[in-house]
Amino acid sequence: MDTFTCLPAGRLRVTPPPTIAIDGPGASGKNTVGLLLAQRLGYRLVDTGAMYRALTWLALATGLDFDDPEALTGFAEATPLRVLPSSAQHPQGGLYADGEDLTPKLHLPEVDAKVSELSRVPGVRRVLVAQQRRLAAEGGVVMVGRDIGAVVLPDAALKVYLDASPQERARRRHQQLRADGADVAYQAVLEDLRHRDTLDQEREASPLRPAPDARIINTERLTPQQVVDAILQHATAS
Ligand code: DC
């Protein structure tokens, strides 16, 4: 079956790769673009950052020591996450554990502050990467994160790395926070993004960097729709 024949544009006539890996730093547009792309292809979006965030929330609620990698690993092993596809209630996908909807908790400031500490633990990554591979094995998946092309799905036929300057990413994140009613200064958002870039890039386990075979797209002056078009062009060319 030719999956692209149902596209409104009607100009893509090849079967897209079953999994598409999108990586990039915070606020590079991964989730916005990933959702648009998934909708366009009839694929499922899997936001792997949400999985690290959900475990962070639960570890905070349990009072775990974030300096204890063994405790965090054991906790990840003992805590099954349910990762649900996009829905009207949760457009980016839902995250549940033990029947509790954790989706509204994922972007709380306390989660923002701790998620890099949890995601640097190799044992935690091992548990989540295994689950991410199981989700991808179902096919028809756009998977978004930091290490998808390099580690989770090294054989993905299409890997994209989205980037933009820290200033542009902070501008976008600031705008989004303000729209959500948060009273936060641009400078604070910029500093927080830079701090997390450093933690993500300098950690030992799966540091943030493009896979060698990733297509790097600078999203600085592109709308999300233009980025999706650029990715689809790569899909047809690959
Ligand atoms: O994309 P995000 O901001 O929701 O990601 C939250 C954190 O999780 C971020 O500090 C990096 C980490 N992360 C990761 O280490 N590996 C992934 N595949 C996805 C996210």
Side-chain angles (χ1 to χ4, degrees), residues 10 112 138 178 221:
D112 276 345
E138 293 166 16
R178 293 296 290 264
R221 291 193 181 77

Side-chain angles (χ1 to χ4, degrees), residues 2 20 26 63 70 75 91 109 124 130 154 163 175 198 231-232:
D2 177 353
I20 299 177
E70 280 173 24
F75 186 70
V124 170
D163 211 351
Q175 204 173 39
T198 308
I231 294 173
L232 287 173

Side-chain angles (χ1 to χ4, degrees), residues 30 48-49 52-53 115-116 119 125 145-147 200 203:
K30 302 183 301 289
T48 59
Y52 289 94
R53 288 174 176 275
V115 64
S116 293
S119 57
R125 303 197 70 81
R146 299 287 193 287
D147 60 341
D200 289 345
R203 72 183 177 210

